[in-house]
Amino acid sequence: MLEGLKVIEMATYIAAPGAGGILADWGADVIKVEPLSGCPMRYTMQNVGADHLKGSPIFDLDNRGKKGLAIDTSKPEGVEAVKRLVKDADIFITNVRPGGLERAGLDYESLKTVNPRLVYASVTGYGLEGPDRDRPGFDIAAFYARSGVGWLQTVKGKEPTTLRTGIGDHTTSMATVGGILAAIFEREKTGKGRLVEASLLRAGIYAAGSDTAVQLRYGKLGSTKSRHEALMPISNFFKTKDTWIVIVPRQGTVDWTAVCRAIGRPELETDERFDNPKKRRANAAELVDILDAAFAAHDVDYWRAKLDAEDIIWAPLMRPGDVFEDPQAHAAGAYVKVPEEDGSGTYLAPASPIRFPGFDDTPKSASPALGQHTLETLKSHGFSDAEIESLRASGAIK
């Protein structure tokens, strides 16, 4: 779908490479520029528990289908090489801190003089302005802790829980792709590129936007309650005989009636302790105990039939390994086959987040080895053998 779009990605870790990875899945030509030491994610979770496998699944997810270059942009020769690559590019993606880009001459103001049509996507922890513009920021810090998401996820009086790898990063990746493609659409009308600014902090604040909107509008916000203190006791997690499930009631009383029928306790609907929302809230602990006892009596298959018969919104709490066994995940196109590095076959990995029925979003190649395509890419962009040798002699490439 994006064939013909050329992307230069000068980024490490997850959030910015994730955006480039989605564009690559959708057909863009993505050239990844790494430092000579490589992206640190190449060496994260590498071969853990699987000595026969190569690479890192975390790195491979965000970098499949790209061409890999290794260039030292701390050297003037490396900077000039990147600028030559940018001359005919459509998109430039980076998560290098703003100050470093300005010192190197790879910030937006510098590159737009090289290519006025360039859509330049900056992905940072905290944005391009303000006192923390150059502060390093991983997703658990900028997206989760500082945005308010972590506080919202913490039950009052309990210790905070951590954020699993890349959740905030990949949320930011998706937002970045949206911003890039909006700028590409604008360029079709104006002929000019623009700066696209994404940050983990802003993405986190938006991800928590429903609660944040309440805070901004009313000046206060309720804390996250324990299961037995829930404002809506049936909007909760319950343990069946074999797993946890979550129930999400709609507004009004229709689902209260339905839950009472589903658990075989229709008399609870008119019980004076629970016959309206205020009473259910006041007696939440008692009601949750009653519901816990009911759900614990049967396994999830039993409750699937009962809850579905009442058209109740619910879902089992599933491990990723169990999700893979869920036929609905496959029907939704949640997994794709990725070529092995050595061409020996394919392996399964998560698909990009959007499906285009009729379009083949299967990655065309594995993630590149460090510097795998440096020489061929430089040559295809007009670098002579002498220029390439000069880059090697300066230490800008190996």
Side-chain angles (χ1 to χ4, degrees):
M1 294 184 69
L2 300 183
E3 275 186 26
L5 279 183
K6 176 182 170 183
V7 182
I8 306 298
E9 175 198 300
M10 193 175 79
T12 54
Y13 293 101
I14 296 176
I22 294 171
L23 296 175
D25 276 358
W26 296 351
D29 179 16
V30 181
I31 298 171
K32 182 179 184 68
V33 178
E34 295 177 73
L36 300 188
S37 58
C39 172
M41 297 310 295
R42 285 186 175 276
Y43 315 111
T44 302
M45 296 295 291
Q46 191 173 37
N47 304 339
V48 175
D51 293 338
H52 64 292
L53 298 178
K54 295 181 179 180
S56 162
I58 298 174
F59 178 84
D60 294 343
L61 169 62
D62 296 316
N63 294 286
R64 63 199 185 200
K66 300 177 184 178
K67 295 174 182 173
L69 280 66
I71 300 177
D72 184 353
T73 55
S74 71
K75 299 184 180 300
E77 297 85 353
V79 170
E80 289 306 311
V82 171
K83 286 183 175 180
R84 283 181 63 173
L85 296 174
V86 163
K87 279 185 179 179
D88 66 346
D90 296 288
I91 299 159
F92 183 81
I93 303 174
T94 186
N95 66 347
V96 178
R97 283 182 262 178
L101 291 165
E102 290 165 0
R103 289 189 295 273
L106 293 172
D107 58 311
Y108 174 63
E109 292 300 322
S110 298
L111 292 190
K112 79 174 182 179
T113 64
V114 175
N115 180 355
R117 288 175 52 82
L118 186 69
V119 170
Y120 184 112
S122 165
V123 184
T124 63
Y126 300 101
L128 293 176
E129 300 178 19
D132 292 336
R133 68 192 293 262
D134 278 316
R135 179 186 291 273
F138 284 176
D139 67 345
I140 192 170
F143 176 93
Y144 187 68
R146 195 161 177 182
S147 71
V149 173
W151 185 88
L152 291 165
Q153 288 298 112
T154 302
V155 174
K156 185 178 181 180
K158 302 295 184 181
E159 294 181 350
T161 55
T162 193
L163 181 70
R164 295 298 296 234
T165 304
I167 291 175
D169 287 318
H170 284 136
T171 302
T172 306
S173 300
M174 293 184 281
T176 303
V177 168
I180 288 170
L181 295 183
I184 290 291
F185 180 76
E186 179 191 43
R187 192 185 69 178
E188 294 302 303
K189 296 181 290 182
T190 67
K192 296 180 180 179
R194 74 154 51 246
L195 176 63
V196 175
E197 179 186 346
S199 69
L200 294 167
L201 177 62
R202 182 164 174 161
I205 292 170
Y206 181 78
S210 298
D211 280 303
T212 303
V214 172
Q215 175 70 55
L216 294 173
R217 188 70 168 171
Y218 297 140
K220 59 183 180 180
L221 185 67
S223 59
T224 300
K225 304 295 192 292
S226 68
R227 291 178 59 249
H228 284 77
E229 299 170 312
L231 301 182
M232 295 178 63
I234 62 170
S235 181
N236 225 323
F237 282 89
F238 300 100
K239 183 69 160 39
T240 71
K241 185 178 286 188
D242 54 350
T243 192
W244 287 89
I245 63 172
V246 66
I247 292 178
V248 189
R250 287 158 279 220
Q251 297 298 317
T253 62
V254 59
D255 281 332
W256 167 237
T257 302
V259 167
C260 292
R261 286 198 301 261
I263 66 171
R265 296 289 302 275
E267 75 280 2
L268 291 176
E269 183 182 2
T270 55
D271 189 306
E272 62 181 11
R273 296 169 296 173
F274 313 126
D275 59 7
N276 66 52
K278 287 186 177 180
K279 289 182 179 179
R280 289 195 287 276
R281 177 179 176 181
N283 297 292
E286 191 174 1
L287 179 53
V288 170
D289 282 341
I290 291 171
L291 294 171
D292 278 349
F295 283 111
H298 301 284
D299 63 20
V300 69
D301 288 335
Y302 174 90
W303 292 115
R304 177 178 286 107
K306 291 289 185 180
L307 297 172
D308 285 351
E310 297 291 347
D311 197 32
I312 292 169
I313 301 169
W314 75 282
L317 184 66
M318 300 177 74
R319 299 176 181 178
D322 296 328
V323 176
F324 179 71
E325 302 298 327
D326 185 348
Q328 189 57 48
H330 291 269
Y335 306 101
V336 290
K337 292 181 178 180
V338 182
E340 294 279 8
E341 289 181 356
D342 60 4
S344 61
T346 61
Y347 65 92
L348 283 174
S352 57
I354 301 296
R355 191 178 200 178
F356 303 99
F359 170 72
D360 179 13
D361 63 351
T362 303
K364 302 302 183 289
S365 63
S367 63
L370 179 60
Q372 179 179 344
H373 304 100
T374 301
L375 296 183
E376 69 179 66
T377 301
L378 292 177
K379 287 181 178 180
S380 70
H381 284 77
F383 286 75
S384 67
D385 289 342
E387 288 174 318
I388 290 173
E389 187 53 42
S390 177
L391 284 169
R392 184 179 284 114
S394 72
I397 64 172
K398 290 183 178 179

